[in-house]
Amino acid sequence: MEIDMMQAVAAVIGLLGVILTSVAVPLIKSKMNDSQWELIGKYALAAVQAAEILFNGTREGAEKFNYAAKYIESQCVAHGIKIDMATVRIAIENAWKALGLDKCRNTETRVGF
């Protein structure tokens, strides 16, 4: 009996997807409630907008990200919200996409993280 490796790989990927959505996502959501996540989203939007204004250049993505991350972390500490770096990164990426900065047409003038 011959086993097709593509079917085995597809099954493993499917299993990993189920585990991720059934275990990891609820675990992350349980660490903070909806109102806290909404606040973090607002902090991220403000941080990304400020970083885009303050660091106006195409090669300053790391500086923009660090500025936004520090702002989000400081706001969370001030409001008693425990947050980890992975959540900060997700919030920044969501804000960046929400502001449409991932859809710049001209890559030479693109400003983003």
Side-chain angles (χ1 to χ4, degrees):
M1 182 172 165
E2 218 173 289
I3 298 175
D4 186 14
M5 288 303 292
M6 289 301 289
Q7 289 178 345
V9 170
V12 169
I13 290 172
L15 180 63
L16 289 174
V18 169
I19 291 171
L20 181 67
T21 57
S22 64
V23 176
V25 173
L27 182 63
I28 291 170
K29 280 190 163 188
S30 69
K31 290 185 179 182
M32 63 186 70
N33 60 35
D34 289 339
S35 64
Q36 289 174 331
W37 181 247
E38 187 176 324
L39 275 175
I40 291 168
K42 289 179 182 180
Y43 300 150
L45 280 172
V48 169
Q49 287 174 331
E52 287 294 328
I53 292 168
L54 294 172
F55 301 98
N56 190 13
T58 58
R59 297 184 181 170
E60 300 177 2
E63 292 174 7
K64 292 177 185 180
F65 178 82
N66 290 334
Y67 174 84
K70 287 179 184 177
Y71 177 80
I72 294 168
E73 289 172 349
S74 69
Q75 291 299 311
C76 287
V77 167
H79 293 91
I81 301 171
K82 293 182 181 181
I83 192 167
D84 61 357
M85 197 57 191
T87 306
V88 170
R89 178 174 289 282
I90 291 168
I92 290 172
E93 289 174 1
N94 287 344
W96 190 63
K97 289 176 182 177
L99 292 170
L101 299 173
D102 61 333
K103 297 183 178 164
C104 294
R105 292 183 184 169
N106 187 354
T107 57
E108 293 177 339
T109 60
R110 182 177 176 189
V111 179
F113 284 84

